[in-house]
Amino acid sequence: GKLFEYLRMGRPILAYVVRDSPVERILQQAGVPFECIYPEHGAEEMDRRLLSFIAKLNGVPVRHSQWFEDTFEASRQAGTLDVLIRSLTG
């Protein structure tokens, strides 16, 4: 749940995730700078990824992608749910 709040802030995200996880796939499409560290990374790779993340910290927020807006914006989801409920109640 916190991922969505962080993405809306538009700040770079450092994520410790399993490779090819749903979180990683969302980050890849959300349009906000990010860096992933995986459990199998050794110390040197973790250091490299952390330095890459730090380089992305410029203080300027980034707007998330249209994909993120279309997929996760709450009023859209509520509208879809409304249509579904109305179709069931005839």
Side-chain angles (χ1 to χ4, degrees):
K2 291 287 182 190
L3 175 62
F4 303 107
E5 292 176 36
Y6 295 154
L7 287 168
R8 287 188 178 279
M9 287 189 290
R11 304 291 184 186
I13 296 172
L14 178 63
Y16 183 78
V17 295
V18 175
R19 191 180 299 275
D20 298 320
S21 68
V23 168
E24 182 179 22
R25 288 191 297 272
I26 290 168
L27 288 169
Q28 289 169 342
Q29 297 182 76
V32 174
F34 73 95
E35 195 65 52
C36 288
I37 296 177
Y38 307 116
E40 68 270 14
H41 279 160
E44 286 182 19
E45 181 62 18
M46 285 185 190
D47 287 348
R48 190 186 71 70
R49 299 270 176 137
L50 185 55
L51 288 172
S52 176
F53 170 73
I54 290 170
K56 295 173 183 172
L57 296 173
N58 64 7
V60 179
V62 174
R63 173 130 173 89
H64 52 266
S65 68
Q66 189 62 49
W67 171 87
F68 180 79
E69 186 74 25
D70 293 344
T71 306
F72 296 107
E73 200 273 315
S75 66
R76 243 182 232 262
Q77 291 177 347
T80 301
L81 184 57
D82 178 57
V83 169
L84 179 62
I85 290 171
R86 288 177 192 275
S87 73
L88 295 173
T89 60

